[in-house]
Amino acid sequence: MLKLTPPFFILSFVIFASFGQAQTLTSVIVDSATQKPIPYVTVQLKKKGVITNEEGRFTFQLDNTIQPTDSLFISCIGYATIGRPLNQFTEKQIVLAAKAIDLNPVIVTNKNYTPEEIIEIVEDSISKNYNLGLGKKRVFLRETYSSQIMKTDYTLKKSTIDAFNKQFIDNLINQIPKNNTVYNEALGDLYGGSDGDQQKLDLIKASELYDKSMELDFEILEEKFNKIMKENVKTDSYFKIKSGLFGTKVDADEMFESEVDSTDVAALNEQLEKEKESKENRKKFFAKYKRQTMGNLYENLPVFEDTDYNVLFKPGRYELALEDFTYLGDAAVYVLSFTPKRSEEFKGKLYINSDDFALIRMDFENVKPLRDFSLLGVSLKEYLAKGRIIFTKGNDQKYHLSYYDITKGIRAGFRRPLKIIEKNKNVKGRRKQNELSMKVDAAFGNRNRYELVVFDETPINLSQYDSFKENNTVLPKYMPNYDPEFWKGYDIIEPNQAIKEFTSIGEAED
């Protein structure tokens, strides 16, 4: 639905100009024939752009420089571009019509290019078409982590602690959440070039949306486990944890957190200092993780030589085919498919501007597992890596990353014997005190999605890059339910319906 707050378009600008309140333009873009939403459409206003989400929705922040007569341009591959003043968008949705393919003489001539020749020209034109140097980018990263426990079979062989019986273990397994989803979002300025390890990040704001009650369930289970252990295990014992031929040693005091006496001021101060240090470390870790994630995505763009999607630099390793001509606005576009001949990992499609031979979009999907490890009952398979990369031409007439979307899928398994033995050298007689022995057959699955949106990129020189110093103090704001006000005033990619409808089972407080 296209809306402005207040609902009357012209009135909203009068109010905005008078009171300086931020306005938003929100709508859904649909196909004129099917009436279905169109994902990943580019929406531009005064040379500033956003991308629609997979449901065709977008939100645009309007500042006091925007006038009702400013034109909004909407373009998508295969559709006719529309551009008209904001005050003419009065319908509940924006409709795009498919563009008829009417090839001009230039395209007909270019049609004689072989796919290999097109790729060669694209590679030769990379330095002309893209900023390969340092830049400052306003970026938004949304990460979606979905986990699933697919199997939790076990056989209890021996337990010398009565409380650790089959009923307790069954109860423990039944309380573990079988499915869980976490959404993380972060906005910031990313400084750097093609090297993922040399990025710098200035975090602005971040959030995490998940059901904290699931986390609390684990805490309750841990309390039950620790209670049983404290009642049955000697504090000066140690544990031998064995799985087949492999084993490790753990002291008993490492398994339990010691309680602090509330009357011991020195101990309380020490604990507070540790908590403060822990929070500072968490800030550093959070910023470092976000920087690495963004850097890893950015350095893997297909226009950089060390990319995993190396079809532009090693076309001989792929079967190439000219699939189609289409349009992105008024620009004619080649659509090339690529399929690996031998050991390469990805197939997909390339969308190439026939005028300047710039790659403007890549769709990709793995053709085989990226990792497939199995040894002595432990297995790990990265079975999925699928997504798309979109470039948009900027004010400098060079193409810049505007959207990177990738979904990764991993399955892991553990099918091995597990034995936990309590030993104590201070007890007369045998050192062995207790034993818990079982055979475990478990399987887990994760599907993680990363969406990186670049709203603006400005080239910078080495001096500007060196002068920026990271000082990230931002931690994500926990939200038990989706909060539409959190990102108010900021450009992000519109959340999908699953995020908007997310509600914790137990609305835990921050």
Side-chain angles (χ1 to χ4, degrees):
M1 178 179 179
L2 180 65
K3 65 180 182 179
L4 279 162
T5 308
F8 299 104
F9 195 91
I10 302 300
L11 178 60
S12 70
F13 278 98
V14 174
I15 293 174
F16 178 76
S18 301
F19 300 103
Q21 297 175 346
Q23 304 295 310
T24 59
L25 174 66
T26 301
S27 188
V28 58
I29 300 176
V30 300
D31 184 291
S32 61
T34 66
Q35 294 299 301
K36 292 183 178 180
I38 307 174
Y40 317 119
V41 177
T42 299
V43 183
Q44 290 183 300
L45 178 64
K46 296 188 74 171
K47 297 184 178 180
K48 182 180 180 183
V50 297
I51 299 285
T52 63
N53 68 7
E54 66 263 39
E55 297 167 349
R57 297 187 179 277
F58 73 92
T59 294
F60 222 121
Q61 301 296 323
L62 308 177
D63 58 31
N64 56 6
T65 66
I66 304 298
Q67 300 299 319
T69 54
D70 289 335
S71 291
L72 188 72
F73 292 93
I74 299 172
S75 58
C76 183
I77 289 174
Y79 291 88
T81 294
I82 60 175
R84 57 179 186 260
L86 282 169
N87 56 14
Q88 292 185 16
F89 287 93
T90 57
E91 302 299 323
K92 292 183 178 180
Q93 57 190 19
I94 299 173
V95 179
L96 290 188
K99 186 178 179 75
I101 305 299
D102 183 18
L103 300 180
N104 60 39
V106 175
I107 299 301
V108 173
T109 302
N110 286 350
K111 192 176 179 181
N112 293 325
Y113 284 124
T114 66
E116 290 76 14
E117 289 171 333
I118 294 173
I119 293 296
E120 184 179 357
I121 299 173
V122 172
E123 182 187 357
D124 291 342
S125 305
I126 285 177
S127 59
K128 176 189 72 176
N129 285 325
Y130 302 89
N131 174 32
L132 304 180
L134 297 171
K136 174 186 176 183
K137 300 169 279 290
R138 172 59 56 90
V139 294
F140 175 79
L141 176 66
R142 175 177 293 140
E143 300 166 87
T144 304
Y145 299 99
S146 300
S147 60
Q148 179 184 17
I149 298 177
M150 297 179 290
K151 184 193 292 187
T152 52
D153 296 339
Y154 76 95
T155 303
L156 182 62
K157 293 185 174 182
K158 182 178 181 180
S159 176
T160 59
I161 299 176
D162 292 339
F164 279 154
N165 52 37
K166 188 176 186 303
Q167 181 179 354
F168 171 80
I169 297 174
D170 286 342
N171 183 52
L172 184 149
I173 291 174
N174 290 333
Q175 290 186 56
I176 297 175
K178 299 299 184 290
N179 298 279
N180 191 24
T181 301
V182 177
Y183 301 98
N184 287 325
E185 296 178 336
L187 180 75
D189 290 325
L190 190 67
Y191 295 74
S194 60
D195 189 340
D197 295 330
Q198 298 300 318
Q199 304 294 320
K200 299 179 182 180
L201 178 62
D202 182 16
L203 275 173
I204 297 171
K205 201 172 186 182
S207 68
E208 52 186 2
L209 175 64
Y210 66 96
D211 190 346
K212 191 175 281 190
S213 67
M214 293 190 178
E215 183 181 84
L216 296 176
D217 286 342
F218 281 109
E219 291 178 1
I220 293 170
L221 292 174
E222 186 178 9
E223 287 176 5
K224 290 181 180 178
F225 180 84
N226 286 347
K227 185 174 184 295
I228 293 173
M229 293 294 283
K230 287 179 179 179
E231 291 173 351
N232 293 272
V233 171
K234 297 174 176 60
T235 56
D236 56 349
S237 290
Y238 63 93
F239 295 89
K240 294 288 289 186
I241 302 174
K242 299 184 67 177
S243 179
L245 298 174
F246 305 97
T248 187
K249 177 183 175 181
V250 180
D251 291 329
D253 56 1
E254 294 179 21
M255 301 187 68
F256 314 116
E257 291 185 7
S258 58
E259 297 179 359
V260 177
D261 185 352
S262 61
T263 63
D264 190 338
V265 176
L268 283 172
N269 288 336
E270 183 180 354
Q271 185 182 36
L272 289 172
E273 199 60 36
K274 286 182 178 179
E275 290 174 357
K276 181 181 178 181
E277 182 182 354
S278 176
K279 187 173 182 179
E280 290 302 314
N281 288 336
R282 188 182 175 219
K283 288 178 183 177
K284 293 177 183 178
F285 173 80
F286 179 75
K288 179 181 178 181
Y289 172 74
K290 293 301 175 185
R291 180 179 65 245
Q292 289 177 339
T293 301
M294 294 176 185
N296 289 341
L297 291 172
Y298 193 81
E299 74 173 359
N300 210 24
L301 295 181
V303 296
F304 296 141
E305 285 199 46
D306 292 332
T307 177
D308 292 336
Y309 322 119
N310 59 5
V311 61
L312 298 184
F313 299 96
K314 298 179 180 178
R317 299 184 180 185
Y318 296 87
E319 296 288 352
L320 302 172
L322 182 57
E323 296 280 332
D324 196 8
F325 287 110
T326 186
Y327 279 88
L328 177 60
D330 295 327
V333 175
Y334 295 113
V335 182
L336 273 63
S337 65
F338 62 96
T339 307
K341 291 179 180 178
R342 293 177 292 276
S343 61
E344 299 303 318
E345 297 171 325
F346 292 93
K347 67 177 181 179
K349 289 186 177 181
L350 307 171
Y351 297 79
I352 297 166
N353 189 314
S354 66
D355 181 32
D356 54 21
F357 288 88
L359 173 66
I360 58 177
R361 172 171 159 177
M362 170 186 275
D363 298 342
F364 60 89
E365 181 178 2
N366 63 308
V367 295
K368 61 182 180 180
L370 303 184
R371 284 186 292 171
D372 194 355
F373 169 83
S374 182
L375 180 66
L376 301 176
V378 178
S379 61
L380 177 69
K381 177 181 287 189
E382 187 175 350
Y383 66 92
L384 177 66
K386 179 180 180 180
R388 66 177 40 83
I389 298 169
I390 299 174
F391 298 93
T392 303
K393 183 176 281 190
N395 298 336
D396 58 359
Q397 299 305 304
K398 288 184 177 288
Y399 289 86
H400 303 270
L401 174 67
S402 60
Y403 183 65
Y404 193 142
D405 177 22
I406 183 170
T407 299
K408 294 187 175 183
I410 296 174
R411 296 191 187 100
F414 184 87
R415 190 175 183 179
R416 292 187 58 79
L418 181 65
K419 186 179 292 186
I420 303 175
I421 303 171
E422 178 198 357
K423 292 188 175 183
N424 192 302
K425 61 184 178 182
N426 298 322
V427 177
K428 292 182 179 180
R430 296 181 61 190
R431 289 188 175 185
K432 181 177 176 181
Q433 305 297 302
N434 287 292
E435 179 181 334
L436 176 66
S437 177
M438 63 176 67
K439 187 175 182 179
V440 179
D441 186 4
F444 315 91
N446 288 298
R447 182 167 286 208
N448 305 329
R449 183 181 183 187
Y450 306 85
E451 291 181 277
L452 181 66
V453 186
V454 182
F455 294 104
D456 184 48
E457 179 174 0
T458 305
I460 59 174
N461 56 40
L462 183 60
S463 176
Q464 291 170 307
Y465 171 81
D466 289 338
S467 65
F468 172 73
K469 306 299 180 184
E470 284 189 338
N471 184 29
N472 291 305
T473 60
V474 173
L475 280 175
K477 169 69 176 177
Y478 168 69
M479 294 188 293
N481 308 309
Y482 171 68
D483 180 6
E485 297 296 312
F486 183 79
W487 290 107
K488 189 174 182 178
Y490 295 94
D491 284 321
I492 65 170
I493 188 169
E494 184 74 2
N496 60 29
Q497 203 62 30
I499 296 176
K500 291 180 178 179
E501 295 177 353
F502 185 91
T503 304
S504 294
I505 297 173
E507 295 186 15
E509 295 296 328
D510 192 5

